Amino acid sequence: MSQNAEKVIDHEMLFREPEYVEMFAKKKEQFEFAFPVEKMEEIREWTKSKEYQDLNFAREGLTVNPAKACQPLGAVFAAVGFAKTLPFVHGSQGCVAYYRSHFSRHFKEPTSCVSSSMTEDAAVFGGLNNMVDGLQNAYNLYKPDMIAVSTTCMAEVIGDDLGSFIRTAKQKGSVTEDFDVPYAHTPAFVGSHITGYDNALKGVLTHFWEGKERTPNESINFIGGFDGNVVGNMPEIRRILDLFGADYTVVCDPSDVWNTPTDGEFRMYDGGTTKDEVKRALNAKATLSFQGFSTEKTTKYIAETGQEVVSLYHPMGVAGTDKFLMEISRLTGKPIPESLEKERGRLMDAIADSSAHIHGKKFALYGDPDLMLGMTAFLLELGAEPVHVLSTNGGPEWAEKVQALFDASPFGAGCHVYPKKDLWHMRSLLFTEPVDLLIGNTYGKYLERDCNVPLVRMGFPIFDRHHYHRFPIWGYEGSLRVMVSILDEIFEALDANTIDTAKTDYSYDIIR
Amino acid sequence: MSLTIEETKVRNKELIAEVLKAYPEKSAKRRAKHLDVHEEGQSECDVKSNIKSLPGVMTIRGCAYAGSKGVVWGPIKDMIHISHGPVGCGQYSWASRRNYYIGTTGIDSFGTMQFTSDFQEKDIVFGGDKKLEKIMDEIQVLFPLNKGITVQSECPIGLIGDDIEAVSKKKSKEYGGKTIVPVRCEGFRGVSQSLGHHIANDAIRDWVFEKTDADKNKFEATPYDVAIIGDYNIGGDAWSSRILLEEMGLRVIAQWSGDGTIAELENTPKAKLNILHCYRSMNYISRYMEEKYGIPWVEYNFFGPSKIEASLREIASHFDDKIKEGAERVIAKYKVLTDAVIAKYQPRLKDKTVMLFVGGLRPRHVIGAYEDLGMNVVGTGYEFGHNDDYQRTTHYVKDGTLIYDDVTGYEFEKFVEKIQPDLVGSGIKEKYVFQKMGVPFRQMHSWDYSGPYHGYDGFAIFARDMDMAINSPVWALTKAPWKK
């Protein structure tokens, strides 16, 4: 017995105690009928080969460890970005349990969302009754100002028609006729979570804008796109726009509801874009989307109303942020504030101080298409080589844009882009063409383990590190933070590699 | 100032009446049947259970897929479990249940991986059977050491009329009788995870037991062979349980399903006794093995020393004196530890109150562990329990305990707000709601990334965790001093 009341031993160390180690060995030997260790080792080595990589890349049906989620997750993200809005997902209830858990594990915050809890009878007869009862219950219990409806794949497969269901529910008195119930069909078998964000956001805008006369003014709209760092990024964007003195509307802002205080009160709703703001946003002279691939349909719809639309692709780093600020300046007619120029200079200062440690380093990165474009550009700017850039939900159009970034930089030679690929593809790449650092979400830790490459955590979800989402990665300040997180991993790796006393510790330097 | 039992009952009844007021009439009527105040002497908690959740109320429940892939099948480490349908279900359930295992992931073990058929529109329109065949072929090439494949159906599969059974049979034959298990656990089936457990149990019966060659995986049986059923090895729970069973002289021939293998499932019919921890999720297969192979089964509870002690004796009672003595030896050996744990933590936790809302076992099973620490459970309920769970609960709960089945977000928040327990134990979706309210919280599905909580080694961790939640200095600081 190793456990100890005075100093309790946790799982991490408990199962290394001899009695457990012996128990595991016996279990394996007597009952598991596992393959011999030699066989396992042989296959493990084989999976590192080019031959295995070719077989791996020849996959047509199987997806292993993808870096994407499904549409309704993104729809819930979009819905919580509006003030006092309750996301309502029409379909099976298990899906909603998953979205809520997924967001709560990332943001360490509650995520309120309801389901219409469809079961077998609804599969046969359709989910109209679920919609009628669901809207009524949700409205009475949670007193939202708006209920934003999206769908799970079940409702999509049986062909439930949200528009007519919501109309019927209103006729039956579930909610009043004038209560706002924007909706979007968000089939999980099309696109990914960013598509769901896009559809749901377009659904809200359509609900408030359709048939309304546009009276252009001088304001601009900002749309962030699906973003795991939204809690940190959105206040940073507001700070930047405030420094310009811009008249602006952030359309969809969940940064408050996923950042509520612990002070004795649970706030189901907090912050978010109000209905008046959404209505007003129709009159803006332009809309700036920070993530073009996350807002394809929304921006198309906005452009059709007569607004100018500027779609960026997650601009980061120096040139990316420059472009972002210049667009704001152009659209608002206001000069770039001196204080932001100074921030730019400070970022440049930091890069100049540290770039020697990043220059020439090889990176692999994966994630949502917009983030990958921004990150690739930033890495090239730092003199790094983003040799594997992969996205499960990025298509050929995205790949062309990444390739264009490679082509425009001497550091892009020898770099490759991988659209519609997953993390098991990445595993092969990391064995056949190793890199110095990996950038991606929490799931990258399995690659860190298998391929022995340090992971810089970025993207969504991040479950195994706390509070990253609270800090911005946008703007000059955000970019500085991104660079610091890369440097931290580089220095950690360097220290770990030189820590052996009397063997390698001559390079265990106190000054780097 | 604590209430008398009678005052508590009145308060709880008022509380139920109060939350029901918020619902539309029809819904209030239906929810009323799920809420009750326990009266001592009742043979069952008087609540309805295992019926459909109301739409729109923010149920905490999941689905049949979660019950099959997430709970029963997912932990079988040497098989590949395909999340068959769109990408989401597999993504959200990827490695999130902490079913610990030992193995080389990606080579001979696959527990923390996400295999999906990532359905696209064309798969919905034309059906996914051809794709599923291709996927199985690709698995055979890229993961040659897999010991079997399961097909975990997501919602669309049952709606578009795919024949995953035919594909599984065909491919099994093609690969020389490989174990390939189609599971009809579409998320819309049933009312919660619970039907998924049942469907998964049935799939083991039909596609593993019925198809296993008796000469496969041979080992010499002994009179002391038992199988651990219904322990998912969350944070290592099954391990800190197994070690006690082995110490008392038993031989654990299988773990269902935490750190489990297909060979262990196949060999379970050779056990002398099945010992069942999570009754809700695996009573079905235990009953089947009793009927078919004559293996008796016994429920046990490895939370907290009182229940562990009783369980070890109960398990030993099915064996000879050697095992009975073994049980006493184990109890005596660990008494030193548990006495020290209780001596350290009971003074810090005595009379603290707890409200629970967990899945199908823990709402009753952990009560003893809290009581060993001097704490009182004042409210409890099941996400997906059935009537037989509520019957069993009467042996655990005290007079006046508030009982809430399939509690809604609204009800739970109101109950906690009013009762102000010292601790809430529930899941990730609830955790931050209550912490914001200033109420200490522990996740009782995932052990809040701690554990194990089973067995004597686990009890020390459990006690430490409850203490660190309740007695953390943060709760005294949640209100700004100028607002107190």
Side-chain angles (χ1 to χ4, degrees):
Chain A
M1 176 173 55
S2 316
Q3 190 55 287
N4 185 321
E6 276 319 299
K7 193 174 186 320
V8 172
I9 308 175
D10 281 298
H11 54 83
E12 165 204 4
M13 298 310 292
L14 179 67
F15 299 123
R16 297 185 209 183
E17 293 294 336
E19 66 265 32
Y20 281 105
V21 172
E22 193 191 332
M23 186 182 88
F24 298 149
K26 268 167 63 186
K27 176 178 184 288
K28 185 175 180 189
E29 186 194 317
Q30 297 179 20
F31 307 110
E32 293 187 357
F33 293 86
F35 288 96
V37 178
E38 305 76 50
K39 185 73 190 164
M40 190 279 292
E41 286 298 349
E42 178 200 321
I43 298 297
R44 175 149 71 174
E45 285 309 309
W46 175 61
T47 65
K48 300 175 183 173
S49 67
K50 183 73 173 64
E51 180 198 350
Y52 187 89
Q53 178 178 317
D54 293 341
L55 290 167
N56 192 10
F57 273 73
R59 268 189 280 145
E60 290 175 352
L62 176 67
T63 298
V64 185
N65 298 355
K68 67 171 182 182
C70 68
Q71 274 213 53
L73 182 88
V76 172
F77 185 107
V80 301
F82 291 90
K84 282 202 85 178
T85 297
L86 184 67
F88 181 115
V89 190
H90 181 56
S92 303
Q93 72 192 12
C95 312
V96 167
Y98 278 142
Y99 314 141
R100 296 180 66 207
S101 302
H102 211 62
F103 282 128
S104 286
R105 287 176 179 136
H106 174 82
F107 290 112
K108 319 291 180 203
E109 293 284 324
T111 301
S112 300
C113 175
V114 297
S115 161
S116 65
S117 294
M118 285 164 66
T119 56
E120 282 109 329
D121 52 344
V124 178
F125 301 111
L128 176 61
N129 290 335
N130 299 70
M131 178 70 77
V132 172
D133 292 347
L135 286 179
Q136 190 189 29
N137 286 330
Y139 176 77
N140 278 283
L141 289 180
Y142 300 111
K143 307 276 184 258
D145 279 356
M146 173 158 97
I147 296 178
V149 180
S150 54
T151 48
T152 78
C153 55
M154 178 202 182
E156 289 300 319
V157 172
I158 65 174
D160 278 4
D161 178 355
L162 291 183
S164 88
F165 280 17
I166 292 166
R167 266 196 307 282
T168 308
K170 285 186 170 182
Q171 282 157 11
K172 292 190 172 216
S174 299
V175 291
T176 56
E177 283 290 344
D178 60 352
F179 186 77
D180 293 302
V181 188
Y183 64 91
H185 288 274
T186 49
F189 44 83
V190 176
S192 71
H193 55 287
I194 62 170
T195 323
Y197 172 95
D198 194 13
N199 281 329
L201 185 54
K202 185 186 164 205
V204 173
L205 296 186
T206 310
H207 174 83
F208 287 102
W209 290 3
E210 212 56 10
K212 296 286 188 311
E213 194 67 28
R214 182 175 127 80
T215 322
N217 59 29
E218 285 305 301
S219 73
I220 59 166
N221 301 324
F222 178 87
I223 298 177
F226 188 102
D227 171 27
N229 283 73
V230 68
V231 170
N233 279 337
M234 218 51 114
E236 180 65 6
I237 289 298
R238 288 182 186 278
R239 185 182 70 88
I240 290 170
L241 290 166
D242 286 341
L243 285 172
F244 270 95
D247 179 7
Y248 65 93
T249 306
V250 173
V251 180
C252 184
D253 181 1
S255 66
D256 282 327
V257 76
W258 274 325
N259 192 20
T260 63
T262 285
D263 60 357
E265 181 196 348
F266 161 54
R267 296 160 177 83
M268 179 176 270
Y269 310 107
D270 200 16
T273 308
T274 64
K275 287 193 249 185
D276 283 344
E277 285 175 316
V278 181
K279 289 173 191 163
R280 189 184 98 107
L282 173 63
N283 301 322
K285 71 183 291 194
T287 292
L288 220 166
S289 167
F290 206 83
Q291 300 196 71
F293 283 105
S294 190
T295 52
E296 279 179 321
K297 291 177 191 160
T298 303
T299 48
K300 185 162 173 277
Y301 173 72
I302 295 172
E304 283 163 10
T305 68
Q307 281 188 30
E308 180 181 351
V309 169
V310 178
S311 272
L312 302 174
Y313 297 96
H314 204 288
M316 300 169 78
V318 181
T321 308
D322 290 350
K323 176 156 196 243
F324 174 53
L325 297 189
M326 288 190 288
E327 285 293 353
I328 297 172
S329 175
R330 181 178 68 80
L331 293 171
T332 59
K334 292 170 189 290
I336 292 173
E338 222 171 280
S339 60
L340 287 175
E341 272 177 21
K342 206 162 182 188
E343 281 178 28
R344 182 185 192 281
R346 288 182 185 131
L347 174 62
M348 285 315 306
D349 183 68
I351 291 174
D353 293 347
S354 308
S355 84
H357 290 278
I358 302 179
H359 190 103
K361 290 273 191 303
K362 291 183 192 306
F363 285 74
L365 51 155
Y366 66 87
D368 284 343
D370 293 294
L371 174 63
M372 289 303 96
L373 280 162
M375 202 58 229
T376 299
F378 190 20
L379 286 171
L380 289 168
E381 191 171 87
L382 293 168
E385 296 173 25
V387 294
H388 311 305
V389 180
L390 180 147
S391 181
T392 310
N393 49 352
E397 195 196 335
W398 166 77
E400 271 177 37
K401 288 193 187 319
V402 178
Q403 188 59 49
L405 292 174
F406 292 158
D407 294 344
S409 165
F411 298 95
C415 297
H416 291 97
V417 58
Y418 300 94
K420 303 268 176 202
K421 292 289 180 270
D422 57 42
L423 302 191
W424 199 254
H425 292 116
M426 182 65 103
R427 186 178 185 272
S428 280
L429 293 172
L430 293 175
F431 281 125
T432 56
E433 289 176 76
V435 297
D436 299 298
L437 278 108
L438 173 67
I439 298 178
N441 60 15
T442 276
Y443 301 114
K445 79 187 296 173
Y446 297 131
L447 294 169
E448 182 172 35
R449 175 195 59 195
D450 288 2
C451 312
N452 195 28
V453 54
L455 171 68
V456 178
R457 283 167 178 77
M458 192 175 300
F460 176 90
I462 292 173
F463 294 152
D464 66 335
R465 293 293 183 273
H466 289 198
H467 307 303
Y468 286 13
H469 68 273
R470 293 179 189 272
F471 300 97
I473 61 169
W474 294 351
Y476 298 123
E477 294 273 316
S479 301
L480 176 59
R481 192 175 167 78
V482 169
M483 188 179 73
V484 171
S485 61
I486 291 170
L487 286 166
D488 279 349
E489 283 301 327
I490 290 173
F491 291 133
E492 286 293 338
L494 186 52
D495 282 348
N497 196 35
T498 55
I499 204 166
D500 283 356
T501 305
K503 281 192 185 134
T504 59
D505 66 345
Y506 44 83
S507 298
Y508 193 65
D509 283 322
I510 198 77
I511 307 165
R512 301 267 194 216
Chain B
M1 188 192 69
S2 60
L3 304 174
T4 66
I5 289 173
E6 285 317 308
E7 284 166 345
T8 304
K9 284 181 184 174
V10 170
R11 191 265 324 261
N12 286 350
K13 280 176 187 160
E14 283 171 4
L15 199 43
I16 290 172
E18 193 188 313
V19 297
L20 289 174
K21 275 187 212 153
Y23 288 90
E25 199 186 334
K26 184 175 83 173
S27 299
K29 256 188 195 159
R30 287 178 58 185
R31 278 307 301 162
K33 297 173 185 162
H34 297 263
L35 306 172
D36 190 37
V37 180
H38 181 63
E39 291 284 344
E40 201 157 70
Q42 270 179 358
S43 62
E44 53 188 281
C45 304
D46 195 15
V47 292
K48 289 262 183 267
S49 58
N50 194 34
I51 51 182
K52 277 197 282 187
S53 305
L54 295 176
V57 296
M58 214 176 311
T59 175
I60 291 166
R61 284 172 166 177
C63 65
Y65 165 89
S68 176
K69 189 268 186 178
V71 175
V72 174
W73 276 109
I76 301 293
K77 64 183 175 182
D78 57 356
M79 297 178 80
I80 286 177
H81 310 290
I82 304 167
S83 292
H84 191 39
V87 69
C89 317
Q91 201 71 2
Y92 310 127
S93 58
W94 179 5
S96 56
R97 247 177 76 84
R98 304 187 66 234
N99 310 109
Y100 281 10
Y101 64 92
I102 290 173
T104 306
T105 301
I107 311 300
D108 65 4
S109 303
F110 311 94
T112 48
M113 295 176 70
Q114 133 73 326
F115 293 85
T116 172
S117 45
D118 188 14
F119 260 33
Q120 300 300 302
E121 196 146 28
K122 65 176 190 301
D123 302 314
I124 301 287
V125 176
F126 301 109
D129 287 342
K130 284 268 175 302
K131 187 173 198 177
L132 183 59
E133 285 191 30
K134 183 171 267 177
I135 284 171
M136 289 180 183
D137 291 340
E138 289 171 355
I139 284 175
Q140 284 301 99
V141 172
L142 292 170
F143 304 96
L145 301 188
N146 83 80
K147 292 278 203 78
I149 297 170
T150 73
V151 183
Q152 305 289 329
S153 300
E154 300 171 6
C155 287
I157 304 306
L159 300 171
I160 61 176
D162 273 12
D163 192 349
I164 58 170
E165 289 79 10
V167 172
S168 300
K169 276 184 197 156
K170 179 182 163 191
K171 284 292 159 188
S172 172
K173 205 169 162 196
E174 209 177 302
Y175 303 137
K178 187 178 196 75
T179 303
I180 301 185
V181 183
V183 190
R184 286 287 180 178
C185 55
E186 288 90 343
F188 62 81
R189 295 192 195 277
V191 303
S192 68
Q193 292 92 315
S194 185
L195 188 63
H197 305 141
H198 198 156
I199 291 167
N201 276 224
D202 289 353
I204 298 174
R205 177 192 68 200
D206 297 341
W207 297 83
V208 178
F209 285 170
E210 295 298 317
K211 297 196 183 325
T212 300
D213 174 359
D215 292 330
K216 205 175 152 193
N217 309 328
K218 275 222 151 158
F219 67 75
E220 290 295 317
T222 77
Y224 303 118
D225 291 353
V226 298
I228 293 177
I229 311 282
D231 189 323
Y232 302 102
N233 206 33
I234 291 164
D237 280 339
W239 293 334
S240 56
S241 304
R242 181 186 186 108
I243 202 160
L244 302 178
L245 298 166
E246 291 189 347
E247 273 188 70
M248 72 193 264
L250 296 170
R251 198 172 81 134
V252 179
I253 65 166
Q255 282 177 209
W256 290 56
S257 56
D259 192 35
T261 56
I262 182 69
E264 289 169 69
L265 296 189
E266 288 166 346
N267 277 327
T268 303
K270 295 169 189 160
K272 299 294 182 294
L273 179 71
N274 279 328
I275 65 163
L276 177 59
H277 208 249
C278 182
Y279 171 85
R280 182 68 277 133
S281 58
M282 285 199 175
N283 77 87
Y284 318 100
I285 200 72
S286 305
R287 291 176 198 279
Y288 176 75
M289 283 192 267
E290 184 177 39
E291 283 164 27
K292 174 94 177 183
Y293 310 108
I295 306 171
W297 53 279
V298 57
E299 288 175 66
Y300 72 112
N301 179 347
F302 268 10
F303 289 106
S306 303
K307 293 295 173 190
I308 298 173
E309 199 174 306
S311 295
L312 288 174
R313 289 192 176 120
E314 170 68 25
I315 293 165
S317 74
H318 292 258
F319 295 94
D320 60 14
D321 284 352
K322 183 188 144 204
I323 300 300
K324 288 178 187 137
E325 284 157 23
E328 295 307 322
R329 197 174 57 244
V330 171
I331 292 165
K333 174 184 163 187
Y334 285 94
K335 195 152 185 349
V336 187
L337 171 66
T338 55
D339 284 352
V341 169
I342 289 170
K344 180 173 177 186
Y345 292 106
Q346 204 190 57
R348 304 162 62 88
L349 296 171
K350 196 163 171 39
D351 297 328
K352 299 286 185 192
T353 55
V354 186
M355 289 176 74
L356 298 169
F357 186 74
V358 213
L361 167 83
R362 292 160 182 173
R364 64 174 178 276
H365 250 192
V366 297
I367 291 175
Y370 283 112
E371 289 176 350
D372 285 336
L373 294 168
M375 301 166 74
N376 292 314
V377 173
V378 297
T380 192
Y382 295 87
E383 203 174 306
F384 48 77
H386 298 202
N387 196 30
D388 49 0
D389 293 301
Y390 283 100
Q391 280 168 3
R392 284 166 167 75
T393 308
T394 57
H395 306 299
Y396 284 89
V397 291
K398 292 191 172 129
D399 202 16
T401 303
L402 183 62
I403 308 289
Y404 31 81
D405 177 71
D406 184 21
V407 78
T408 67
Y410 177 82
E411 290 162 1
F412 205 12
E413 186 193 332
K414 294 293 164 204
F415 289 158
V416 170
E417 201 173 84
K418 185 80 178 183
I419 294 173
Q420 287 292 318
D422 297 300
L423 180 74
V424 174
S426 191
I428 182 69
K429 305 190 290 300
E430 296 71 60
K431 178 181 174 79
Y432 302 105
V433 171
F434 297 119
Q435 290 190 178
K436 303 275 179 198
M437 288 163 64
V439 181
F441 188 97
R442 288 295 297 187
Q443 289 184 65
M444 292 302 281
H445 298 266
S446 67
W447 306 148
D448 237 313
Y449 323 119
S450 176
Y453 282 177
H454 291 179
Y456 290 115
D457 285 348
F459 177 64
I461 299 172
F462 171 83
R464 191 272 322 266
D465 286 355
M466 298 311 136
D467 174 52
M468 77 159 79
I470 291 174
N471 293 312
S472 163
V474 303
W475 306 117
L477 297 169
T478 56
K479 291 248 191 305
W482 54 91
K483 283 207 156 172
K484 270 180 185 167

